[in-house]
Amino acid sequence: MSVEERDPLTGHQTTGHEWNGITELNTRVPRAVWWAIGITHVWALIIWILLPSWPLVTTYTKGLLGVNQRELVQGEIQAGQRYRAYWETNLSAASLDEIRVEQALMDVVVASAPTLWGDNCAACHGMLGVGGPGFPNLTDASWLWGGSDEAVLESIRVGINATHPDTRVSEMLAFGDLGVLTRDQIRTVTAYVQSLSGLADPGPEVRAEGQTIFEENCASCHGEEATGMDEIGSPDLTDDFWIYGGSDEAIFTSIHDGRRGWMPAWEGRLSEAQNKILALYLLDILPNAR
């Protein structure tokens, strides 16, 4: 096929190539494409003149506008630092109730709390704060040390059984390992404890014997009614909230081997403002996120 030939349908010259009866046409590049190429070249030339672009031996062309990306980024960093200093100062000086009614401060809490929680608390308590075996659920109504603003802030600040000089101290004796109670006595008081929250009905004789063992060995910490004591961090045994589980095996192990939970002290690791952010997230935001 000759390149001088024209396609009878379009009138375009052919290239001389044909595949299985399909003829290649020698069509021109659309004018719009040439315009686009020309505009991009002109724009590139303008940018080369106005902005930093070409590397030299020890420097680079600065451009007529004198734009410096390092200075722009540094300015943004400094602005961010000033804003952070502003809300750190205001959060540190305000009480939780004062922060709750200040929308600008609550916006900071809502924006920064999930990351702060995820980086420091979620490893033990989970992203939604529901805990797991050995780690308390922080979204329910059961609090070892109380659920007031002051109590939660203090727990975050000093930790539990931590290295902080003011740390909260909480420990359950190993009644079995220390020989205080026999295994049969532990089974009996286990059944009694389960009956307090409706997990079991051991019968009147076992219940009476278990109550006696409880009053002689456990009531000093958990209270005569077994409802716990916030001031020493002893749990309420009459509800259905369990840190280590409410099964026969779990309760027997707790009584026989004892328990000694641990929470790090965040004072010195996190600022006062960050501790308040976590407290507000725990008290006001997480319970509504479930």
Side-chain angles (χ1 to χ4, degrees), residues 215-236:
E215 291 173 351
E216 293 176 350
N217 299 273
C218 313
S220 59
C221 289
H222 294 284
E224 295 293 335
E225 302 299 324
T227 54
M229 298 182 184
D230 289 348
E231 58 270 22
I232 62 173
S234 60
D236 184 345

Short mmCIF file of all heavy atoms in Angstrom, two decimals, residues 215-236:
data_model
loop_
_atom_site.label_atom_id
_atom_site.label_comp_id
_atom_site.label_asym_id
_atom_site.label_seq_id
_atom_site.Cartn_x
_atom_site.Cartn_y
_atom_site.Cartn_z
N GLU A 215 -15.63 -13.14 106.50
CA GLU A 215 -15.61 -12.13 107.55
C GLU A 215 -14.30 -12.14 108.32
O GLU A 215 -13.81 -11.09 108.75
CB GLU A 215 -16.79 -12.35 108.49
CG GLU A 215 -18.14 -12.03 107.83
CD GLU A 215 -19.31 -12.41 108.72
OE1 GLU A 215 -19.08 -13.07 109.76
OE2 GLU A 215 -20.45 -12.05 108.38
N GLU A 216 -13.71 -13.31 108.49
CA GLU A 216 -12.48 -13.43 109.26
C GLU A 216 -11.24 -13.05 108.45
O GLU A 216 -10.22 -12.63 109.03
CB GLU A 216 -12.33 -14.86 109.78
CG GLU A 216 -13.38 -15.24 110.82
CD GLU A 216 -13.26 -16.71 111.24
OE1 GLU A 216 -12.48 -17.45 110.57
OE2 GLU A 216 -13.95 -17.12 112.19
N ASN A 217 -11.31 -13.18 107.12
CA ASN A 217 -10.10 -13.00 106.32
C ASN A 217 -10.20 -11.92 105.23
O ASN A 217 -9.15 -11.39 104.82
CB ASN A 217 -9.72 -14.32 105.64
CG ASN A 217 -9.43 -15.42 106.62
OD1 ASN A 217 -8.30 -15.55 107.07
ND2 ASN A 217 -10.43 -16.24 106.96
N CYS A 218 -11.38 -11.61 104.80
CA CYS A 218 -11.52 -10.76 103.62
C CYS A 218 -12.22 -9.43 103.89
O CYS A 218 -12.01 -8.46 103.15
CB CYS A 218 -12.31 -11.49 102.53
SG CYS A 218 -11.77 -13.20 102.22
N ALA A 219 -13.07 -9.39 104.91
CA ALA A 219 -13.90 -8.20 105.14
C ALA A 219 -13.08 -6.97 105.49
O ALA A 219 -13.53 -5.84 105.24
CB ALA A 219 -14.92 -8.49 106.25
N SER A 220 -11.91 -7.15 106.05
CA SER A 220 -11.10 -5.99 106.43
C SER A 220 -10.71 -5.14 105.22
O SER A 220 -10.48 -3.94 105.35
CB SER A 220 -9.83 -6.44 107.17
OG SER A 220 -9.07 -7.31 106.34
N CYS A 221 -10.64 -5.75 104.05
CA CYS A 221 -10.33 -5.01 102.82
C CYS A 221 -11.58 -4.78 101.96
O CYS A 221 -11.77 -3.69 101.41
CB CYS A 221 -9.28 -5.74 101.99
SG CYS A 221 -7.62 -5.73 102.71
N HIS A 222 -12.38 -5.81 101.81
CA HIS A 222 -13.54 -5.72 100.91
C HIS A 222 -14.79 -5.20 101.60
O HIS A 222 -15.81 -4.98 100.92
CB HIS A 222 -13.81 -7.08 100.27
CG HIS A 222 -12.74 -7.55 99.36
ND1 HIS A 222 -12.57 -7.05 98.08
CD2 HIS A 222 -11.75 -8.46 99.53
CE1 HIS A 222 -11.54 -7.64 97.50
NE2 HIS A 222 -11.01 -8.49 98.35
N GLY A 223 -14.75 -5.03 102.91
CA GLY A 223 -15.89 -4.52 103.65
C GLY A 223 -16.81 -5.64 104.11
O GLY A 223 -16.84 -6.73 103.54
N GLU A 224 -17.58 -5.34 105.16
CA GLU A 224 -18.50 -6.34 105.70
C GLU A 224 -19.53 -6.77 104.67
O GLU A 224 -19.97 -7.92 104.67
CB GLU A 224 -19.19 -5.77 106.95
CG GLU A 224 -18.27 -5.49 108.12
CD GLU A 224 -17.67 -6.76 108.71
OE1 GLU A 224 -18.28 -7.84 108.56
OE2 GLU A 224 -16.57 -6.67 109.31
N GLU A 225 -19.93 -5.84 103.81
CA GLU A 225 -20.92 -6.15 102.77
C GLU A 225 -20.25 -6.55 101.46
O GLU A 225 -20.93 -6.71 100.44
CB GLU A 225 -21.84 -4.95 102.56
CG GLU A 225 -22.58 -4.48 103.81
CD GLU A 225 -23.49 -5.57 104.37
OE1 GLU A 225 -24.08 -6.31 103.55
OE2 GLU A 225 -23.61 -5.66 105.60
N ALA A 226 -18.93 -6.65 101.45
CA ALA A 226 -18.15 -7.05 100.27
C ALA A 226 -18.29 -6.08 99.11
O ALA A 226 -18.10 -6.45 97.95
CB ALA A 226 -18.55 -8.46 99.81
N THR A 227 -18.60 -4.81 99.41
CA THR A 227 -18.77 -3.82 98.35
C THR A 227 -17.49 -3.05 98.04
O THR A 227 -17.51 -2.11 97.26
CB THR A 227 -19.88 -2.82 98.75
OG1 THR A 227 -19.57 -2.27 100.04
CG2 THR A 227 -21.23 -3.50 98.79
N GLY A 228 -16.37 -3.45 98.66
CA GLY A 228 -15.09 -2.84 98.36
C GLY A 228 -14.86 -1.51 99.06
O GLY A 228 -15.76 -0.97 99.72
N MET A 229 -13.64 -0.99 98.93
CA MET A 229 -13.27 0.28 99.54
C MET A 229 -12.44 1.07 98.55
O MET A 229 -11.33 0.65 98.18
CB MET A 229 -12.47 0.05 100.83
CG MET A 229 -13.21 -0.69 101.92
SD MET A 229 -12.20 -0.87 103.41
CE MET A 229 -13.27 -1.88 104.43
N ASP A 230 -12.97 2.20 98.13
CA ASP A 230 -12.25 3.03 97.17
C ASP A 230 -10.92 3.54 97.72
O ASP A 230 -9.94 3.68 96.98
CB ASP A 230 -13.11 4.24 96.77
CG ASP A 230 -14.29 3.85 95.90
OD1 ASP A 230 -14.31 2.69 95.43
OD2 ASP A 230 -15.19 4.69 95.71
N GLU A 231 -10.88 3.82 99.01
CA GLU A 231 -9.68 4.42 99.58
C GLU A 231 -8.47 3.49 99.54
O GLU A 231 -7.33 3.96 99.58
CB GLU A 231 -9.94 4.88 101.02
CG GLU A 231 -10.39 3.79 101.97
CD GLU A 231 -11.91 3.64 102.01
OE1 GLU A 231 -12.58 4.07 101.05
OE2 GLU A 231 -12.41 3.09 103.01
N ILE A 232 -8.68 2.19 99.45
CA ILE A 232 -7.55 1.25 99.37
C ILE A 232 -7.56 0.47 98.05
O ILE A 232 -6.74 -0.41 97.84
CB ILE A 232 -7.53 0.28 100.56
CG1 ILE A 232 -8.79 -0.58 100.58
CG2 ILE A 232 -7.33 1.03 101.87
CD1 ILE A 232 -8.75 -1.68 101.64
N GLY A 233 -8.50 0.77 97.19
CA GLY A 233 -8.53 0.14 95.88
C GLY A 233 -9.00 -1.30 95.88
O GLY A 233 -8.65 -2.06 94.97
N SER A 234 -9.81 -1.68 96.86
CA SER A 234 -10.31 -3.06 96.88
C SER A 234 -11.63 -3.14 96.11
O SER A 234 -12.49 -2.27 96.26
CB SER A 234 -10.53 -3.53 98.31
OG SER A 234 -11.47 -2.72 98.97
N PRO A 235 -11.80 -4.15 95.27
CA PRO A 235 -12.97 -4.20 94.38
C PRO A 235 -14.25 -4.60 95.09
O PRO A 235 -14.24 -5.29 96.11
CB PRO A 235 -12.57 -5.25 93.34
CG PRO A 235 -11.58 -6.11 94.03
CD PRO A 235 -10.83 -5.22 94.97
N ASP A 236 -15.35 -4.17 94.52
CA ASP A 236 -16.69 -4.59 94.94
C ASP A 236 -16.91 -6.02 94.43
O ASP A 236 -16.80 -6.28 93.24
CB ASP A 236 -17.72 -3.63 94.34
CG ASP A 236 -19.14 -3.92 94.80
OD1 ASP A 236 -19.38 -5.01 95.34
OD2 ASP A 236 -20.01 -3.06 94.60
#
